Amino acid sequence: MSNDTVSKPGVTVLASKISKIYVEEISSKVNAIKNIRPNGPLLVGFLANDDPAAEMYASWTKKTSEDMGFRYELRRIDEKDFLEEAIIETNRDRQVDGIMVYYPVFGNAQDQYLQQVVAKEKDVEGMNHVYYQNMYHNIRYLDSENTIKSILPCTPLAIVKILEYLKVYNSLLPQGNRLYGKKCVVVNRSEIVGRPLAALLANDGAIVYSVDVDNVQKFTRGEGLKFKKHHVEDLGGFSADLLKQCCSEADVIVTGVPSESYKFPTEFIKEGAVCINFSSNKNFDESVKSKASLYVPMTGKVTISMLLRNMLRLIENSEKSKNP
């Protein structure tokens, strides 16, 4: 056995491999709705920034969508102030099944406003306040009969699906409690990914340490999962010592720091932990595999699969609403 094998026991798992398990399911569902969408469902993406990561994501989305029988249109908006009008017009277009916006656009609260402009019936990214409220309160359906499923934000959902694939979720436990006994660290608390992800993992039973530049918070459903939904406790201002303490027993470390210079300290990783990076920048260096058992360097292709699953669910929800 080579020294290299000894020093790097961890296995890299690519998002492209994980996403393949959803391709057949999604493609077969697209075929199953040919009677109502003969040309395939139509997804419209709005690009109003010059972010290379957004361009790459748009390119992936187009290719993946078309490979699975969807139609995809990228609409470039040169003047950001016209984006709201373009979204409203597309909300009204009955030919369009799903809408997504490549953020950041303005990079401030105006982006959160734009997320609410997208009609919830076409919100493939799951950012509408109705979906967010359900997610934070651990409510999984939109109706009292539990027949119309709520939509989850696609990147946090992708990370959940990755953790299921990696067998971090315990399938012997009841659904909704399958992360019981697990500890997770999420280094990012954006409203689009980090905070929703911490909530989802905690709602599934984990103790989650949510880390950002200002402070560290603990998301948990309480001792013995006594609460139906997660509660949040502030652990104090950020420090390397506090991060190290949170990571000492962490089974999962998820990073999403949008910086080329940021690298998660390998020495903080518990032996055998699972490490996942959803930033377009590499938040771990190669030494991660000397500590982690499994390492997922990017999540984009699983995210796109979840986005397309969300779109099919929106179509299904719409049909159920027409024929209750």
Side-chain angles (χ1 to χ4, degrees):
M1 185 179 287
S2 70
N3 288 336
D4 189 58
T5 308
V6 172
S7 64
K8 294 184 178 179
V11 174
T12 299
V13 183
L14 298 179
S16 54
K17 180 180 180 182
I18 302 169
S19 66
K20 281 179 183 174
I21 66 174
Y22 296 104
V23 170
E24 190 175 327
E25 172 203 334
I26 293 167
S27 300
S28 65
K29 283 188 176 178
V30 171
N31 284 327
I33 59 170
K34 285 284 187 189
N35 58 324
I36 57 171
R37 299 292 188 279
N39 299 316
L42 175 58
L43 172 62
V44 170
F46 284 105
L47 185 61
N49 64 36
D50 54 5
D51 181 2
E55 284 276 2
M56 182 174 68
Y57 188 23
S59 174
W60 279 352
T61 310
K62 176 179 171 63
K63 184 179 187 312
T64 307
S65 302
E66 292 176 349
D67 284 350
M68 287 192 259
F70 294 81
R71 290 175 294 144
Y72 176 81
E73 283 182 21
L74 179 63
R75 298 181 183 175
R76 295 177 188 273
I77 307 295
D78 295 328
E79 292 289 335
K80 294 178 182 181
D81 291 332
F82 293 148
L83 178 56
E84 180 183 359
E85 288 176 27
I87 293 171
I88 291 169
E89 190 178 325
T90 310
N91 283 340
R92 295 178 182 140
D93 187 346
R94 292 185 180 180
Q95 302 303 311
V96 177
D97 296 294
I99 297 171
M100 64 181 300
V101 180
Y102 296 97
Y103 294 102
V105 178
F106 294 94
N108 56 25
Q110 205 166 341
D111 283 5
Q112 293 176 7
Y113 168 73
L114 285 172
Q115 289 162 17
Q116 305 314 311
V117 173
V118 178
K120 82 175 192 299
E121 294 78 13
K122 299 189 180 186
D123 177 19
V124 295
E125 296 181 283
M127 293 180 182
N128 185 276
H129 71 277
V130 172
Y131 300 140
Y132 260 47
Q133 186 172 357
N134 277 0
M135 177 195 65
Y136 282 122
H137 287 81
N138 205 10
I139 297 168
R140 307 194 178 205
Y141 292 88
L142 293 169
D143 62 330
S144 55
E145 290 80 27
N146 291 353
T147 58
I148 300 177
K149 281 194 171 181
S150 199
I151 303 297
L152 290 170
C154 51
T155 302
L157 177 59
I159 294 166
V160 165
K161 293 299 181 185
I162 288 168
L163 291 172
E164 287 180 349
Y165 177 87
L166 299 176
K167 309 294 186 197
V168 176
Y169 274 69
N170 184 346
S171 61
L172 297 177
L173 292 175
Q175 195 161 13
N177 294 346
R178 289 179 175 172
L179 285 181
Y180 181 60
K182 301 292 184 183
K183 291 185 177 176
C184 307
V185 170
V186 179
V187 187
N188 171 293
R189 203 183 303 136
S190 68
E191 296 301 327
I192 293 176
V193 185
R195 191 190 298 273
L197 176 62
L200 281 174
L201 299 179
N203 284 345
D204 279 340
I207 293 171
V208 184
Y209 297 101
S210 171
V211 179
D212 76 0
V213 292
D214 295 319
N215 65 356
V216 178
Q217 294 180 339
K218 182 180 179 182
F219 287 55
T220 172
R221 277 173 51 203
E223 194 172 335
L225 307 183
K226 64 181 177 181
F227 302 120
K228 182 181 184 296
K229 71 176 186 74
H230 74 281
H231 289 232
V232 180
E233 177 187 349
D234 200 328
L235 300 182
F238 172 82
S239 71
D241 285 344
L242 182 53
L243 176 62
K244 184 177 182 180
Q245 185 182 327
C246 293
C247 292
S248 65
E249 296 180 352
D251 305 287
V252 176
I253 296 172
V254 183
T255 59
V257 180
S259 166
E260 284 185 29
S261 60
Y262 178 82
K263 295 294 180 220
F264 187 88
T266 302
E267 64 271 21
F268 289 3
I269 300 171
K270 184 182 84 168
E271 293 278 350
V274 170
C275 293
I276 300 170
N277 171 56
F278 66 81
S279 171
S280 56
N281 304 109
K282 288 187 176 178
N283 287 170
F284 297 97
D285 61 31
E286 281 302 302
S287 65
V288 63
K289 289 183 281 188
S290 68
K291 300 288 283 291
S293 59
L294 299 167
Y295 168 51
V296 182
M298 294 181 77
T299 60
K301 292 195 174 178
V302 183
T303 296
I304 294 169
S305 292
M306 292 306 107
L307 185 145
L308 296 175
R309 278 175 107 236
N310 278 351
M311 188 152 120
L312 291 171
R313 182 154 285 158
L314 289 172
I315 293 169
E316 186 182 312
N317 287 353
S318 171
E319 291 301 306
K320 283 180 179 175
S321 298
K322 287 180 194 172
N323 307 294

